[in-house]
Amino acid sequence: GSQDNYALNASVNNALGSNTTNTVNLSKAALGISNTTATYAGSTTIATGNGSFTLTGLVGSDVNTTASSGVINDANVASATKFTAVTLANGSQDNYALNASVNNALGSNTTNTVNLSKAALGISNTTATYAGSTTIAAGNGSFALTGLVGSDVNTTASSGVINDANVASATKFTAVTLANGSQDNYALNASVNNALGSNTTNTVSLAKASLDISGITAANKVYDGTTLATISTSNIVYSGLRAGDVINTSATGVFNTPSVGVNKPVALTLVNTGSSLPNYAVTNQAYAYANITANSAPPSPPSPLPLPPNVNPVSPVVVPSSTQSAGLGVSFGPASIEESNTCGTKRACNCDATGTAGVEICYLIDVDSVKPKLQLSKLVGGKW
């Protein structure tokens, strides 16, 4: 208790062993720190309120102080493992030393550990168009992101993966790629959430892609009195068809009129099929164009008329050369033919009554020096 009899040097004197020596060196107290419930913040700073800090090793008047923030070794969820610095609410952090190594044993003044959870990220794209795959690239519609933090707040989505490629079934995103590459620090809502503007939003709407069908042709034809057209789809073109999709088309067509003409419109009727067809808004080719040319072939002779009752056709009849004038009698069926005119060589004779009411026969006599021949030319009038 005799300390009052001594005077200390009022100045620091590091020269040891002298009665004027006055020096002291304090080592930092070891401080354990942990935060196993923090969430990715987009930076290496973990602020108070982000998870729960636990401090071990505080001494003296510091025992009730808290951590107002901490600095971690890496901002990313996968790489953050420990604290490199801490700020205490009472400012006494410089009196403490953190373990330079990771120590996951909690409750010790050598503890040093941090675990980051992924931050919730809301994502929506309600203006995308069917792309033929589950990948929605940047520029296909408009991505909206909610929940970006720290240095990520100005980044954008470069692409997203959706649950189904088809227009009718696509409802949500299952993954996203951010332009700055920080997507692994975020978690998307596993369920569809159409409430926009929240970090739990997850929704996508696909519009049908436009598909234009062209290249269908009609064949030229010779006039046949009909509007029927022959259609070919061998050179069909599908503009807007996504890679991997298959559309099948059959086509029929009719000319606008059956008459002869050049570059005549042929109205087309198309039937499209394919499993991916519901993903497209289809514009079918409406017309092809082709020529109808005149028919140069001679007309077919008419079918012979039926014979009247009780009259049979006859073969050419040979008559004697002496019978070259009026009064020629030739038997024909049940009646006789009376030639009433004088017929010269190779001269057509008139039509004569056959003896059967309403029936006439027309013929000519072809006379030569040897065999005058009676030849029938046609049957007309009456029942013939």
Side-chain angles (χ1 to χ4, degrees):
S2 62
Q3 62 274 4
D4 293 338
N5 297 312
Y6 294 91
L8 299 179
N9 189 345
S11 301
V12 175
N13 182 2
N14 295 317
L16 303 181
S18 164
N19 58 2
T20 61
T21 298
N22 191 346
T23 185
V24 63
N25 289 323
L26 293 180
S27 298
K28 292 184 177 182
L31 181 66
I33 184 171
S34 66
N35 189 331
T36 59
T37 56
T39 300
Y40 173 73
S43 76
T44 56
T45 298
I46 304 299
T48 186
N50 185 357
S52 178
F53 287 91
T54 300
L55 301 174
T56 308
L58 290 170
V59 293
S61 59
D62 300 335
V63 293
N64 292 319
T65 198
T66 58
S68 56
S69 65
V71 179
I72 55 178
N73 63 312
D74 197 289
N76 296 296
V77 170
S79 303
T81 56
K82 66 179 182 178
F83 285 91
T84 58
V86 63
T87 299
L88 298 178
N90 70 352
S92 62
Q93 61 273 358
D94 292 338
N95 297 314
Y96 295 92
L98 303 179
N99 190 344
S101 301
V102 176
N103 181 5
N104 295 315
L106 303 181
S108 163
N109 58 5
T110 60
T111 297
N112 191 344
T113 186
V114 64
N115 291 325
L116 294 182
S117 299
K118 292 184 176 184
L121 182 65
I123 184 171
S124 65
N125 189 332
T126 58
T127 56
T129 300
Y130 171 72
S133 75
T134 55
T135 298
I136 304 298
N140 184 357
S142 178
F143 286 90
L145 302 174
T146 308
L148 292 170
V149 293
S151 59
D152 302 335
V153 293
N154 293 319
T155 198
T156 57
S158 55
S159 67
V161 178
I162 56 179
N163 63 313
D164 196 289
N166 296 297
V167 170
S169 304
T171 55
K172 67 178 182 177
F173 286 90
T174 59
V176 63
T177 298
L178 299 179
N180 70 351
S182 63
Q183 60 273 358
D184 292 338
N185 297 309
Y186 293 92
L188 303 181
N189 190 346
S191 301
V192 176
N193 180 8
N194 296 315
L196 303 180
S198 162
N199 59 5
T200 60
T201 297
N202 191 345
T203 186
V204 64
S205 296
L206 295 182
K208 292 184 177 184
S210 296
L211 180 66
D212 293 327
I213 299 179
S214 61
I216 299 171
T217 57
N220 297 331
K221 75 170 187 174
V222 175
Y223 173 80
D224 62 4
T226 74
T227 59
L228 295 179
T230 300
I231 305 302
S232 173
T233 60
S234 59
N235 294 316
I236 195 167
V237 176
Y238 297 101
S239 299
L241 188 66
R242 303 307 193 237
D245 285 351
V246 176
I247 301 294
N248 297 306
T249 300
S250 61
T252 57
V254 292
F255 284 92
N256 61 330
T257 68
S259 59
V260 171
V262 177
N263 204 32
K264 293 174 66 67
V266 178
L268 299 175
T269 300
L270 274 59
V271 177
N272 303 309
T273 59
S275 59
S276 58
L277 186 61
N279 295 310
Y280 292 95
V282 180
T283 300
N284 286 322
Q285 181 178 337
Y287 292 95
Y289 295 88
N291 303 333
I292 297 179
T293 56
N295 188 346
S296 59
S300 300
S303 301
L305 296 172
L307 294 173
N310 302 318
V311 176
N312 298 315
V314 296
S315 299
V317 178
V318 177
V319 297
S321 59
S322 60
T323 57
Q324 299 181 17
S325 61
L328 174 66
V330 179
S331 176
F332 183 79
S336 63
I337 302 176
E338 294 296 330
E339 200 271 6
S340 60
N341 296 324
T342 299
C343 299
T345 301
K346 297 187 182 295
R347 181 179 177 184
C349 296
N350 293 332
C351 296
D352 296 313
T354 63
T356 301
V359 177
E360 294 179 333
I361 183 167
C362 294
Y363 59 93
L364 63 81
I365 294 177
D366 184 2
V367 180
D368 59 28
S369 61
V370 180
K371 295 180 180 180
K373 297 179 182 179
L374 179 65
Q375 294 182 329
L376 304 182
S377 62
K378 64 177 179 178
L379 304 176
V380 299
K383 298 179 182 179
W384 290 47

